[in-house]
Amino acid sequence: MAYKDLRQSKAFRIVVIVVVVILALAMTIPSVATLLAGSRSGSDTASQASSSSASSGLPYDATSKESIDTYFKELVDGAQKKVDADSTNTNALRSLGNNYKAWAQALTNLGSSDSEAVSEAAQRWSAAADAYARYLSVSDSDPVALDHAEAVYYTGDHDAAIAEVKAITDRNPSYQSAWQTLGAMYQLTGQQDLAKEAYGTASALSTTSSNTTTGGSQGTTSAR
């Protein structure tokens, strides 16, 4: 068969079509591979971001006011029910204060990006102070008194908060965390000499001695 006749034959045309299809597929394989690699990379990045968020240990989204409010409202409601059932339940009162305090701290941290959170944080600090005050009306506790002073400080009454912490150090001079908190409050209010003195006293006290004397949780105020 002549070459010209071969090119015009049905079999030849089929072979040419098959070859063209194979070449076309071969040319598209790198592109498909690239897309798959890109998709996998994106998936890995999302997975890493998710793992990073999970590894933070927070049971709520710290960047979302709605998430923060939802989480802490449930905790506060639970503690409040116990307080309503027994107004002298110190464990419930401490839990209520701690939950309000943690709520306030979360909103305070969010405050720079959410103006509404700033005003609500002040309300939570006030609620925490109230819960701690109710605890102290039932039972004496320097750690709870320190928590109360910290909450009062963040409501804006700095003088009252400092006076309360000073009273704690007067009756319990080996309470290291109280001295640290006092130093921080002095520092935040611009009283640098008094801050140095309080920090110096805290440094001179051993943590073991402080824990043995006071027991329980020890609240601190960090400079912000």
Side-chain angles (χ1 to χ4, degrees):
M1 180 182 296
Y3 177 67
K4 181 178 180 180
D5 294 334
L6 178 63
R7 286 191 303 169
Q8 294 176 348
S9 69
K10 184 177 179 180
F12 179 82
R13 288 198 296 273
I14 292 174
V15 170
V16 170
I17 292 172
V18 171
V19 170
V20 170
V21 171
I22 292 174
L23 289 174
L25 288 174
M27 292 176 65
T28 61
I29 287 175
S31 297
V32 174
T34 300
L35 289 174
L36 289 175
S39 175
R40 186 178 302 109
S41 176
S43 176
D44 290 343
T45 300
S47 176
Q48 290 172 0
S50 176
S51 297
S52 176
S53 176
S55 65
S56 68
L58 295 176
Y60 55 87
D61 179 4
T63 63
S64 167
K65 181 178 177 300
E66 181 180 1
S67 177
I68 292 171
D69 288 345
T70 298
Y71 175 74
F72 284 106
K73 186 178 186 305
E74 182 176 353
L75 293 180
V76 164
D77 288 347
Q80 186 63 60
K81 288 180 180 178
K82 293 180 180 179
V83 171
D84 291 341
D86 180 3
S87 61
T88 63
N89 185 335
T90 53
N91 287 334
L93 287 168
R94 183 77 185 277
S95 178
L96 183 61
N98 288 346
N99 287 328
Y100 270 124
K101 177 182 175 181
W103 193 351
Q105 289 174 327
L107 290 175
T108 298
N109 293 336
L110 187 64
S112 60
S113 59
D114 189 333
S115 58
E116 183 182 358
V118 176
S119 60
E120 290 195 16
Q123 297 174 25
R124 307 298 176 246
W125 283 118
S126 180
D130 179 66
Y132 291 135
R134 293 172 66 184
Y135 178 110
L136 294 171
S137 69
V138 176
S139 176
D140 290 332
S141 169
D142 284 340
V144 174
L146 192 58
D147 287 334
H148 179 263
E150 181 178 9
V152 169
Y153 181 91
Y154 284 114
T155 63
D157 196 347
H158 299 164
D159 290 341
I162 290 174
E164 186 171 353
V165 179
K166 286 178 64 178
I168 296 172
T169 59
D170 286 343
R171 65 175 176 263
N172 190 352
S174 61
Y175 192 176
Q176 187 183 43
S177 289
W179 286 105
Q180 290 173 335
T181 299
L182 184 60
M185 288 184 178
Y186 278 140
Q187 181 180 355
L188 288 168
T189 53
Q191 303 177 74
Q192 301 305 326
D193 290 341
L194 292 175
K196 290 179 181 178
E197 183 179 342
Y199 283 139
T201 302
S203 297
L205 295 170
S206 68
T207 301
T208 301
S209 174
S210 178
N211 287 339
T212 301
T213 302
T214 61
S217 172
Q218 299 176 357
T220 60
T221 299
S222 58
R224 299 184 187 185

